[in-house]
């Protein structure tokens, strides 16, 4: 699979991360189902936006994009996004782009404009528009667009290679085509086919990439090779803020770092971004993020409870519950990644398991079975990062817990409650269960 990666001109916002997390979920689900996945994600490190950004900071393009690429990898790791197999950078694949453009010129699909740039002639590719379903018959022949991003109504011959202009400053390559730089679209055609072949299975990106970016990728690649480019296109819908697409240019965005500074839990952010079906829009809100945080906690709590479970057997019921959730979760995910239905069945299961734990009706053996199922689901969702990690308590807290145990034994509930409050103030939550006292560390 090939997924359009970040344009490294700024910190990625959480709308961008909605795309990357959806792709991560898709990849993890395919692997769960036994597919061998090769994942390529490019970094767009030369385009209109990166050049402009580096110039405004008066630093070389590479220094500028390296900084944001590093930030992207840090954020992606914090959000538990599995790394791709290859992260090709556009600036390191210019020779491949040049060869592709030369092929297009040789085959009559591309021509040099009077500005010295090379353009793709969309009327030479009759299937142009097949992905985004635009009608191109009434276009002005030969009308050209040089910028990377433009609207559907402006569909025109687009730049494959941009001849150098003074605005590009020192960003250029001396090539057989002309002194200049690649257009954004050719970058993804060249890099995807280099690592995945002329025809590959899956290509993803946000819906805003469908036109012109992916439409142009298809035109360039299929015109050059004469073969189908991609078997399945998956486009995620946008993350919105008050009904409007979250985007840098609208100023209505949060970067992952903005939310981290506010103390938001990365796993709650991840859960929020993956829990709506990828083809549905939804609004980012802090209430939504709170709900996501409780969902993650519910899941991690039940996993923690199961680690301590050692009750009587729940009997046949346990097997039925396990089979049922396996089927419901799996069927939903197999149905175009219907994660909201999958999660609903998962949380029904969690509720049932909690009820059984409350009555001490899960044996050690059953708990291990349930835990292994939940761990497999969590390998797909990637939202419970801490479950395996045994936390240790500060000595002072251990002493308070011991004192509280003493108080409970003598039925001194007042002291026990006061000690619980004292522990809570230290960030230690204690719970009294059938299996005894359990504790956990409160998340920030
Ligand atoms: P960019 O860094 O602008 O190239 O975008 C990286 C990815 O984020 C692309 O797949 C975009 O389609 C996607 N994207 C941008 N804005 C949003 C949004 N508000 N919601 C979901 N995906 C988005
Ligand atoms: Zn792309």
């Amino acid at each position: 699979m090939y997924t359009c990666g970040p344009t490294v001109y700024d910190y990625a916002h959480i709308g961008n991360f909605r795309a990357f997390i959806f792709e991560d979920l898709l990849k993890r689900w395919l692997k769960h189902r036994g597919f061998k996945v090769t994942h390529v994600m490019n970094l767009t490190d030369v385009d209109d936006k990166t050049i402009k950004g580096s110039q405004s900071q008066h630093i070389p393009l590479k220094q500028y994009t390296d900084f944001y690429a590093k930030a992207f990898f840090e954020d992606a790791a914090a959000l538990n996004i599995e790394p791709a197999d290859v992260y090709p950078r556009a600036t390191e694949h210019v020779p491949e782009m040049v060869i592709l453009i030369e092929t297009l010129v040789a085959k009559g699909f591309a021509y040099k404009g009077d500005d010295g740039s090379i353009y793709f002639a969309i009327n030479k590719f009759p299937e142009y528009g097949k992905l985004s379903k635009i009608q191109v018959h009434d276009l002005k022949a030969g009308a050209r667009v040089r910028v990377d991003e433009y609207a559907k109504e402006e569909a025109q011959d687009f730049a494959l290679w941009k001849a150098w202009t003074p605005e590009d400053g020192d960003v250029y390559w001396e090539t057989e085509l002309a002194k200049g730089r690649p257009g954004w679209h050719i970058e993804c055609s060249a890099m995807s086919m280099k690592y995945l072949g002329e025809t590959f299975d899956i290509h993803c990106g946000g819906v805003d990439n469908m036109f012109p970016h992916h439409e142009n990728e298809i035109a360039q690649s299929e015109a050059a090779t004469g073969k189908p480019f991609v078997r399945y296109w998956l486009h995620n819908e946008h993350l919105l803020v008050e009904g409007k697409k979250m985007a840098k240019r609208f100023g209505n965005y949060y970067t992952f770092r903005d939310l981290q500074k506010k103390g938001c839990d990365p796993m709650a952010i991840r859960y929020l971004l993956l829990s709506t079906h990828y083809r549905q829009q939804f609004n980012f809100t802090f209430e939504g993020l709170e709900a996501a945080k409780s969902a993650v906690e519910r899941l991690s709590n039940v996993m923690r409870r199961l680690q301590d479970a050692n009750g009587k057997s729940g009997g046949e019921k346990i097997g039925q519950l396990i089979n049922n959730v396996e089927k419901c979760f799996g069927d939903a995910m197999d149905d175009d990644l219907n994660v909201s239905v999958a999660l609903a069945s998962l949380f029904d299961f969690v509720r049932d398991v909690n009820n059984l734990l409350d009555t001490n009706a899960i044996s050690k053996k059953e708990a291990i079975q349930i835990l292994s199922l939940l761990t497999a689901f969590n390998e797909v969702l990637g939202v419970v990062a801490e479950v395996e990690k045994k936390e240790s308590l500060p000595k002072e807290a251990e002493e308070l817990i011991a004192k509280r145990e003493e108080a409970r034994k003598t039925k001194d509930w007042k002291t026990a409650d006061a000690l619980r409050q004292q522990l809570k103030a230290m960030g230690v939550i204690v719970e009294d269960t059938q299996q005894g006292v359990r504790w956990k560390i409160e998340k920030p």
Side-chain angles (χ1 to χ4, degrees), residues 66-86:
D66 276 354
F67 177 85
Y68 289 111
K70 184 168 172 278
F72 167 73
F73 288 124
E74 286 167 7
D75 294 355
L79 286 164
N80 208 12
I81 295 175
E82 281 186 0
D85 297 281
V86 196

Side-chain angles (χ1 to χ4, degrees), residues 4-7 13 15-16 18-20 23 49 184 205-209 236-239 245-246:
C4 286
T7 306
H13 60 64
N16 302 134
R18 181 184 189 192
F20 304 138
E23 293 154 356
K49 290 191 277 199
W184 172 37
V207 277
D208 55 312
N209 276 348
N236 64 277
E237 256 302 343
H238 285 141
L239 178 66
K245 177 190 172 191
M246 180 178 285

Side-chain angles (χ1 to χ4, degrees), residues 23-41:
E23 293 154 356
D24 187 46
L25 182 67
L26 172 65
K27 174 165 111 182
R28 285 166 178 254
W29 183 248
L30 290 171
K31 292 205 309 197
H32 177 85
R33 282 300 196 212
F35 290 92
K36 187 168 166 282
V37 182
T38 306
H39 178 201
V40 180
M41 177 186 269

Side-chain angles (χ1 to χ4, degrees), residues 247-438:
K248 290 271 158 59
R249 65 178 184 283
F250 301 141
N252 61 349
Y253 65 92
Y254 290 101
T255 65
F256 170 63
R257 284 155 194 246
D258 293 335
L259 295 184
Q260 253 188 332
K261 272 185 215 133
K262 285 178 183 287
C264 303
D265 176 8
M267 290 303 98
I269 299 170
R270 178 179 169 95
Y271 184 93
L272 177 70
L273 295 175
L274 67 67
S275 55
T276 299
H277 191 280
Y278 74 94
R279 284 189 290 104
Q280 239 176 336
Q281 300 183 330
F282 77 97
N283 274 300
F284 172 78
T285 61
F286 283 96
E287 295 81 62
L289 193 53
E290 271 307 304
K293 188 174 175 217
S294 340
V296 172
E297 277 170 4
R298 233 177 308 152
L299 193 56
S300 64
N301 281 344
V302 79
M303 290 175 90
R304 202 174 276 129
R305 284 189 83 182
L306 284 162
Q307 285 175 340
D308 302 336
N310 194 7
K312 58 183 187 294
S313 166
E316 270 177 29
K317 186 147 196 235
I318 305 280
Q320 282 162 6
L321 286 175
I322 289 180
N323 288 340
N324 183 52
V325 70
E326 247 180 339
K327 178 158 172 34
C328 291
F329 190 97
D331 286 353
M333 291 297 279
D334 283 342
D335 181 13
D336 194 20
L337 226 55
N338 199 341
V339 68
S340 40
V341 170
L343 288 171
S345 69
L346 172 59
F347 282 104
D348 282 348
F349 177 72
V350 169
R351 183 201 54 219
D352 293 339
V353 170
N354 272 323
N355 287 341
L356 289 167
L357 285 167
D358 289 344
T359 55
N360 214 10
I362 294 185
S363 69
K364 183 108 222 135
K365 192 173 161 208
E366 289 159 349
I368 289 169
Q369 289 167 342
I370 297 172
L371 252 182
S372 100
L373 178 69
L374 291 178
T375 305
F377 286 156
N378 186 53
E379 264 165 32
V380 173
L381 302 169
V383 292
V384 181
E386 298 298 311
V387 81
E388 299 298 341
K389 213 169 89 189
K390 281 264 176 263
E391 294 158 318
S392 60
L393 276 184
K395 216 171 169 51
E396 191 190 344
E398 273 178 1
E399 282 164 9
L400 289 176
I401 289 177
K403 267 196 202 162
R404 188 168 166 276
E405 271 306 272
E406 282 306 307
R408 276 166 48 82
K409 271 187 200 146
T410 58
K411 299 206 190 317
D412 179 0
W413 307 122
K414 206 166 153 220
T415 307
D417 261 349
L419 287 163
R420 183 206 289 272
Q421 287 309 320
Q422 218 176 323
L423 283 157
K424 186 166 189 318
M426 293 169 66
V428 180
I429 311 285
V430 284
E431 283 166 8
D432 304 311
T433 70
Q434 293 265 339
Q435 290 85 29
V437 179
R438 290 186 307 112

